Amino acid sequence: MANEVILLDFWPSMFGMRTRIALREKGVEFEYREEDLRNKSPLLLQMNPIHKKIPVLIHNGKPVNESIIQVQYIDEVWSHKNPILPSDPYQRAQARFWADFIDKKLYDAQRKVWATKGEEQEAGKKDFIEILKTLESELGDKPYFGGDDFGYVDIALIGFYTWFPAYEKFANFSIESEVPKLIAWVKKCLQRESVAKSLPDPEKVTEFVSELRKKFVPE
Amino acid sequence: MADEVILLDFWPSPFGVRARIALREKGVEFEYREENLRDKSPLLLQMNPVYKKIPVLIHNGKPVCESMNVVQYIDEVWSDKNPILPSDPYQRAQARFWVDFVDTKLFEPADKIWQTKGEEQETAKKEYIEALKTLESELGDKPYFGGDTFGFVDIAMTGYYSWFEASEKLANFSIEPECPTLMASAKRCLQRESVVKSLHDSEKILAFAYKIRKIYCV
């Protein structure tokens, strides 16, 4: 029986990007379906009744929710090529720890950078830079977070890069000057086909965030 | 070389409980070290520099942090008995989803039940019950979240089960009439040997809860 793989997604979502990359790393054919988050499809509501969020991976009719869980699922089902998680249990625990760190810390901090202003934004910006510095320190001299091979933590983080110009524009700072090694890592990841095909143009993301910001920060 | 396993922990922690249960499910000998959270040991700060929190599992000198990460690690290293995660990838994804739900939806209301009063506590109580009802619906007719066997989601929940009595007393409500089948599963879990050995009795936890409330001036 052929695999039927559908991804319910929203183009600027840094979470959706993770799943797109993972599927392409494994060479999985999938149907991408764009969701309108102000008018969610019945399929989305049926497949993710708890959170009603994208991305939703539907594999042969069965849903898998939460991007980081989807990446693990994809790695386990299509295990024949391009392993995403390391095989050693200790290295796997480290990879999970850092992906979880990104989920716990980076999302909320970056939100303050584009969705607020004044003191709140300044505080958010400081937090955001500190978190990126912690990640840069974890990367160290390695080409990728996992070492020589592109993997789980790289996939968890890279999508946020498409929002970087938006953060820089609205909070008036330069990310490259704060974390140059991390930007070097970004450039390396962008050369990878699965990443290049899965990430939107950061300029388009900035336009999108611009519109979104108006709702939170009336000028 | 014999395994050296140390667990840095804090006795009432529902997160520490998870690590203890997983180690006992696998029959792993370990050294339990109690941390004073107001005076954290240099070892804790060295082994978990990012969060400085317990539990921290130190296996042959190398740290693993975050309770559910610790549980998965234990399951993968000591894979010869009592599997914690299912073997099927789809079932594993479901187990991970529900553990994520437990950690994102139960934690804050549970915390607020302990640390607040009045309207804030009432709101927290409603959210807590709603989350428990969603979990009960997921449990369905199964004896455990994992089906016939005690597993990943059950381990995640057991820490919260150990706080049930204290939460009920602090916010003056009863969970059983709201979630009877979840309570039945909880009782089953609480009788398991690995769990009995890993939990302190509910009187002690209640006393601790009252102490916490005093600190928060409630």
Side-chain angles (χ1 to χ4, degrees):
Chain A
M1 184 181 83
N3 272 313
E4 184 203 54
V5 181
I6 298 169
L7 179 64
L8 306 182
D9 201 348
F10 179 51
W11 69 270
S13 163
M14 58 284 263
F15 302 106
M17 288 173 212
R18 295 166 168 181
T19 313
R20 292 171 224 165
I21 294 169
L23 287 166
R24 290 188 168 108
E25 282 287 310
K26 301 291 189 169
V28 176
E29 295 281 333
F30 67 100
E31 181 192 337
Y32 178 96
R33 285 193 202 171
E34 192 69 38
E35 281 284 335
D36 174 359
L37 299 186
R38 290 156 306 172
N39 186 20
K40 293 173 180 177
S41 71
L43 184 63
L44 171 55
L45 300 176
Q46 180 201 342
M47 292 284 155
N48 191 357
I50 302 285
H51 300 304
K52 305 175 175 52
K53 287 181 174 177
I54 58 89
V56 180
L57 183 73
I58 310 173
H59 184 202
N60 294 331
K62 301 200 291 187
V64 179
N65 294 309
E66 295 301 300
S67 62
I68 214 67
I69 293 174
Q70 290 159 359
V71 172
Q72 291 183 78
Y73 175 78
I74 290 164
D75 196 34
E76 291 173 14
V77 171
W78 290 278
S79 53
H80 58 295
K81 75 183 262 200
N82 285 353
I84 291 173
L85 270 156
S87 50
D88 169 69
Y90 184 74
Q91 295 307 326
R92 289 159 79 85
Q94 297 314 299
R96 287 186 180 125
F97 175 87
W98 285 105
D100 178 69
F101 174 83
I102 291 163
D103 277 351
K104 277 193 167 83
K105 297 281 193 179
L106 193 59
Y107 182 72
D108 286 345
Q110 63 86 41
R111 202 168 188 288
K112 290 221 166 94
V113 176
W114 65 263
T116 69
K117 61 178 180 178
E119 265 186 55
E120 199 182 351
Q121 189 189 44
E122 274 308 301
K125 187 167 91 183
K126 282 200 178 83
D127 271 346
F128 176 73
I129 291 168
E130 208 185 294
I131 290 162
L132 287 187
K133 285 186 164 166
T134 302
L135 287 164
E136 186 182 59
S137 167
E138 172 56 24
L139 177 67
D141 289 324
K142 308 191 298 287
Y144 299 106
F145 279 91
D148 288 327
D149 299 311
F150 180 79
Y152 194 63
V153 183
D154 309 288
I155 292 176
L157 185 56
I158 190 63
F160 284 89
Y161 154 73
T162 58
W163 288 58
F164 280 8
Y167 306 149
E168 290 175 321
K169 177 176 175 177
F170 296 118
N172 194 29
F173 69 124
S174 157
I175 295 178
E176 183 153 15
S177 59
E178 301 283 354
V179 284
K181 280 189 172 165
L182 201 64
I183 296 299
W185 162 83
V186 166
K187 290 178 178 159
K188 199 180 287 116
C189 290
L190 290 175
Q191 285 165 14
R192 214 169 165 81
E193 198 183 338
S194 64
V195 175
K197 285 190 163 167
S198 303
L199 263 43
D201 178 353
E203 262 186 51
K204 291 213 163 83
V205 174
T206 303
E207 269 170 42
F208 165 77
V209 178
S210 224
E211 281 307 304
L212 202 57
R213 181 174 161 81
K214 285 178 190 163
K215 292 188 186 147
F216 296 92
V217 185
E219 296 295 351
Chain B
M1 183 182 86
D3 273 321
E4 184 203 53
V5 182
I6 298 168
L7 181 66
L8 306 182
D9 202 353
F10 178 53
W11 68 269
S13 164
F15 304 104
V17 162
R18 296 164 167 183
R20 291 170 228 165
I21 293 171
L23 287 165
R24 291 190 167 104
E25 284 287 311
K26 302 291 188 169
V28 177
E29 296 280 333
F30 67 100
E31 181 192 336
Y32 178 96
R33 286 197 202 167
E34 190 69 38
E35 282 285 333
N36 176 359
L37 299 187
R38 285 160 305 171
D39 186 18
K40 294 173 180 178
S41 72
L43 184 64
L44 172 55
L45 301 177
Q46 180 200 343
M47 292 283 153
N48 191 358
V50 174
Y51 297 119
K52 307 175 177 48
K53 286 182 174 178
I54 58 89
V56 179
L57 183 78
I58 311 172
H59 184 203
N60 295 330
K62 299 198 295 186
V64 181
C65 304
E66 294 301 293
S67 62
M68 287 328 279
N69 201 16
V70 170
V71 172
Q72 287 191 79
Y73 176 78
I74 291 166
D75 197 33
E76 290 174 14
V77 171
W78 291 279
S79 54
D80 50 308
K81 73 183 265 201
N82 284 354
I84 292 173
L85 269 155
S87 50
D88 169 69
Y90 186 75
Q91 296 307 326
R92 289 158 77 84
Q94 298 313 300
R96 288 178 176 132
F97 175 87
W98 285 104
V99 164
D100 177 72
F101 178 88
V102 169
D103 279 347
T104 47
K105 299 287 188 180
L106 274 192
F107 179 70
E108 262 188 52
D111 224 28
K112 286 208 169 117
I113 286 173
W114 279 44
Q115 292 170 13
T116 68
K117 60 181 178 181
E119 255 190 66
E120 204 179 346
Q121 193 191 48
E122 274 306 299
T123 306
K125 188 166 92 183
K126 286 198 177 87
E127 274 175 29
Y128 187 66
I129 292 171
E130 205 184 297
L132 290 179
K133 284 187 160 161
T134 303
L135 285 159
E136 185 176 63
S137 169
E138 171 58 22
L139 177 68
D141 289 326
K142 309 192 294 287
Y144 299 103
F145 280 96
D148 288 325
T149 46
F150 181 77
F152 198 55
V153 184
D154 306 289
I155 291 180
M157 282 300 288
T158 300
Y160 288 99
Y161 296 154
S162 71
W163 280 14
F164 270 5
E165 272 190 52
S167 301
E168 287 172 321
K169 288 218 164 76
L170 295 178
N172 193 27
F173 70 120
S174 173
I175 295 172
E176 188 150 14
E178 304 278 357
C179 301
T181 46
L182 186 68
M183 270 312 262
S185 183
K187 284 175 183 165
R188 214 172 275 123
C189 292
L190 292 169
Q191 283 165 12
R192 207 169 165 82
E193 193 185 341
S194 64
V195 174
V196 169
K197 288 188 165 169
S198 302
L199 290 185
H200 292 265
D201 69 61
S202 44
E203 287 297 312
K204 220 176 148 188
I205 292 179
L206 184 61
F208 174 75
Y210 282 128
K211 214 169 119 183
I212 291 288
R213 278 176 88 73
K214 269 209 188 114
I215 293 172
Y216 284 89
C217 303
V218 183

